[in-house]
Amino acid sequence: MSTVNTVTEQLTAAGQAIEHDSFAIIDAEAGPHAYTAGQWPIVRRMIHANADFEFNGLTAFHPDAVQAGMAAVLRGGTPVVADVEMICSGLSRPRLAHFGMATHQFISDADVIAQAQADNTTRAVQAMRKAHRLGLLQGAIVGIGNAPTALIELVRLIVEDGVRPALVVGMPVGFVSAAESKDLMAQIADVPWIVIRGRKGGSTLVVAALHALLALAEAQQRTEGA
């Protein structure tokens, strides 16, 4: 019987070998860490995405983040709402399709742009509001890798409007409000989150974290089906 996932793995034996060797190198070089067995594969894949070992320590997890994220994936049909198209483009369609999942982003929609201009806000703020109006945020996995204002608005929607995503992967990169937006998210107790402390982040890291979560979900699915 195969010891690897069949959907969330590389598609060739050579690709699998390179990925697994990379993970082994990361494990060896990272050494001891404070992450749980469920959290470490997510951090490890983030390190794998950009060869930056600082994410071993900068990445923070709500206590329920991994289990809540896996449950949302395994439930099937859970929407993934992103702040930018880059996240939607980076996520593997076959991997998402295996769990009946689809991505959504509204950053370039004409109505979003017009409302941002009218309200003197950012497109990212209006895109989160549109996702809320469409009912997509409730029970969703939300990935934010580019726009701190999107994460700040999501926190507002959680606090003021009672929005309850299944999981927030909040990793906006930048120098204006990026660190602060993640600190705000990390203060939320009743919505699970994964954040990167400080200025570092980016859409690539959100994609890596979500791919790791999909792999964890598939592994559990295979175990339960064995």
Side-chain angles (χ1 to χ4, degrees), residues 33-43 61 63 66:
H33 56 76
Y35 295 106
T36 68
Q39 294 168 350
W40 178 245
I42 296 173
V43 177
F61 293 81
V66 177

Side-chain angles (χ1 to χ4, degrees), residues 81 106 123-138 142 144 149-165 168 184-185 188 190-191:
V81 178
F106 305 105
R123 290 184 296 149
V125 166
Q126 296 300 332
M128 283 296 113
R129 291 178 183 174
K130 180 171 182 176
H132 178 38
R133 289 196 304 273
L134 294 174
L136 288 170
L137 294 179
Q138 205 71 21
V142 182
I144 298 174
T149 56
L151 189 55
I152 292 170
E153 177 61 17
L154 181 60
V155 171
R156 187 194 69 78
L157 290 168
I158 290 169
V159 173
E160 296 182 9
D161 292 6
V163 170
R164 291 294 180 268
V168 177
L184 283 173
M185 188 69 238
I188 300 296
D190 47 359
V191 172

